[in-house]
Amino acid sequence: MSEKLLEQIFEELKNMNNRIGGLEQRLSGFEQRFSGLEQRFNGLEQRFNGLEQRFGDLETGQKDLVRQFTHFEAGQKDLVRKFTHFEAGQKDLVKQVNGIEIELKEFRTETKTSLKVIQTGQQGTREEMTQRFKEVKHTLNSLESDIALTFQKTAQQELELNRIKNQ
C-alpha cells in the first residue's frame, strides 16, 4: 500500500508540478501582459505629463491674456478720459469762438456806425469846403475886377498926367 500511496502521491505531485508549470506559464504570460500594460501605462503617463505641461502652458497663456486684456482695458479707460477731456476742451473752444464771433459782430456794427458818421462828416466837410471855395472864388473875382478897375484908373490918371505935362 505504501507503493500505491507513493504512486498516488507521485502522480499528484506530477499533476501539481504540471499545474505549477501551467501556472508558471500563465504567470509568465501575465508578467508579459503586465509588462506590456506597464509600458502602455508609462506611455499614458508620458502623454498625461505632456497634457499637464500643455495645460500649464495654456494656463500661463491665459494669465498673460488676462494681463494684456487688463492693460488694454486700462488703456481704453485712459483713452476715454482723454477723449472726455478733449470734448470738454472742444466745448470751451466753441464757447470762445462764439464769444469772439459775437465781439466781431459788435465791432462790425460799431465800425459801420462810425464809418457812416465819418462819411456823413466828410460829406458835410466837402460841402462846406465847396461852399468856401465858391465864396473865395467870388471874392477873388470881385478883387480881380477891383484891381483891373484900379489899374485902369491909375493908367488913365497917368495918361492924363502925361498929357498935362506935355501941354
Side-chain angles (χ1 to χ4, degrees):
M1 181 160 133
S2 53
E3 249 186 67
K4 250 187 176 187
L5 271 174
L6 280 175
E7 271 185 36
Q8 268 184 346
I9 291 176
F10 182 67
E11 278 295 317
E12 283 209 27
L13 279 175
K14 255 185 178 180
N15 284 337
M16 278 178 92
N17 198 13
N18 285 338
R19 281 184 175 166
I20 289 176
L23 282 175
E24 281 180 356
Q25 285 178 349
R26 285 175 90 188
L27 186 59
S28 175
F30 281 134
E31 281 180 1
Q32 287 175 352
R33 285 171 126 179
F34 182 73
S35 175
L37 285 174
E38 193 174 28
Q39 287 176 351
R40 286 176 75 186
F41 179 74
N42 286 339
L44 284 174
E45 190 175 18
Q46 287 175 350
R47 289 171 89 185
F48 180 73
N49 287 339
L51 284 173
E52 196 173 81
Q53 185 177 355
R54 288 170 90 185
F55 278 125
D57 291 345
L58 282 174
E59 188 176 343
T60 303
Q62 183 185 15
K63 287 178 182 176
D64 193 34
L65 276 174
V66 167
R67 259 186 261 120
Q68 288 178 358
F69 187 73
T70 304
H71 182 68
F72 174 75
E73 281 181 330
Q76 187 181 16
K77 287 178 183 176
D78 190 40
L79 189 61
V80 166
R81 263 186 257 120
K82 286 179 181 178
F83 187 73
T84 304
H85 181 68
F86 174 74
E87 281 182 333
Q90 189 179 17
K91 287 178 182 176
D92 288 342
L93 186 62
V94 166
K95 286 179 185 176
Q96 289 176 355
V97 167
N98 286 340
I100 290 172
E101 189 175 341
I102 290 169
E103 286 180 28
L104 282 174
K105 284 180 181 177
E106 289 174 0
F107 177 74
R108 190 176 196 183
T109 305
E110 290 174 8
T111 305
K112 279 184 178 180
T113 306
S114 297
L115 187 61
K116 283 183 182 179
V117 168
I118 289 170
Q119 285 175 342
T120 306
Q122 282 181 341
Q123 190 175 11
T125 303
R126 279 190 212 137
E127 288 173 1
E128 189 175 328
M129 287 174 69
T130 304
Q131 185 179 352
R132 298 285 171 174
F133 279 126
K134 284 180 181 177
E135 289 174 3
V136 168
K137 187 176 180 183
H138 180 68
T139 305
L140 278 176
N141 284 339
S142 294
L143 286 174
E144 276 181 6
S145 300
D146 290 348
I147 290 172
L149 184 62
T150 305
F151 183 71
Q152 251 182 354
K153 283 190 177 189
T154 305
Q156 191 177 9
Q157 285 178 355
E158 280 183 18
L159 189 66
E160 284 180 13
L161 225 124
N162 260 344
R163 277 190 201 162
I164 294 180
K165 270 186 185 179
N166 286 339
Q167 277 189 0

